[in-house]
Amino acid sequence: LQLLVTQDLAALEPGQAICSPMLNSRGWIMDEMIFYRLEPGRFRLVVNAANGDKIFSWLKSRLRGGAAVEDLREKVGTVALQGPAAADIFSKVSPLALKGVPRYHVVTSTVAEKPVWIARTGYTGEDGCEIFAAVEDLPVIWKGLLQAGQPRYLLHLLGEEPGALGLGHAQGALELLGLCAHARQGGEL
């Protein structure tokens, strides 16, 4: 894995995360992703959905020395709770003190009484967390977050009903600013 990225993954302690580009065989950037070190020799990667197949195939083709890779995209999903009210909303659905989790770290806990993996990477630039859970638990987690966020509203955008802002909306905002949300938009360098 270390040979495929630009950051030093060995420097991470268990529970730490880092954002790094993954490189192809010519050293060009395939995409940028977040690497979580779960324990020595074991990592979890969060890859842009648009490039998931390409990255998974690339990783499988580079396996050496008994290493293995598992595609969890059908089993694990993510909800990002970001913004100034994130910690307050989160505290209503989890026993974890979100402010106690350092940036670029990951811990296990529960949300809406479901087991989760909580990360504090803040890829949107806002404070908050990313909640990773079994796909079948996501509706309960989502509903719990929406109910907890009602007094503060999770989002009120352009006169729409209060609700949630998905990555598609966030990508649209990035595009308005002339930025790429993933390598596919800018092409491999």
Side-chain angles (χ1 to χ4, degrees):
L1 190 58
Q2 181 61 68
L3 298 175
L4 304 177
V5 300
T6 61
Q7 297 280 8
D8 184 3
L9 300 179
L12 295 176
E13 295 292 327
Q16 283 187 302
I18 197 165
C19 185
S20 179
M22 181 166 285
L23 308 175
N24 66 18
S25 60
R26 298 185 306 190
W28 293 6
I29 296 172
M30 296 177 69
D31 205 348
E32 182 178 73
M33 60 203 69
I34 299 176
F35 295 79
Y36 297 95
R37 186 173 195 168
L38 302 180
E39 56 191 48
R42 188 165 172 248
F43 291 85
R44 183 168 284 176
L45 284 61
V46 175
V47 178
N48 287 314
N51 292 326
D53 290 337
K54 175 176 73 173
I55 297 298
F56 186 67
S57 294
W58 176 244
L59 287 169
K60 284 189 348 183
S61 76
R62 296 296 185 240
L63 292 177
R64 304 288 182 270
V69 62
E70 181 182 3
D71 185 351
L72 298 175
R73 292 178 291 172
E74 298 295 322
K75 299 176 185 175
V76 177
T78 309
V79 173
L81 179 62
Q82 309 284 322
D88 180 51
I89 293 168
F90 186 84
S91 71
K92 294 175 181 166
V93 293
S94 179
L96 178 69
L98 191 58
K99 294 289 185 182
V101 180
R103 298 270 298 156
Y104 277 85
H105 279 75
V106 62
V107 297
T108 57
S109 187
T110 60
V111 170
E113 300 181 2
K114 298 294 182 182
V116 297
W117 188 60
I118 304 294
R120 294 277 310 234
T121 55
Y123 63 86
T124 63
E126 286 281 354
D127 191 25
C129 66
E130 299 81 43
I131 303 165
F132 298 89
V135 169
E136 61 270 11
D137 292 340
L138 287 175
V140 172
I141 292 167
W142 180 247
K143 190 175 203 175
L145 290 169
L146 286 175
Q147 288 172 346
Q150 283 304 310
R152 299 284 304 264
Y153 296 120
L154 287 179
L155 178 72
H156 190 92
L157 180 66
L158 303 176
E160 296 176 13
E161 290 298 313
L165 175 65
L167 183 57
H169 290 91
Q171 284 178 303
L174 289 173
E175 290 164 1
L176 287 174
L177 297 171
L179 303 172
C180 294
H182 55 76
R184 194 175 92 183
Q185 288 174 299
E188 285 188 22
L189 302 175

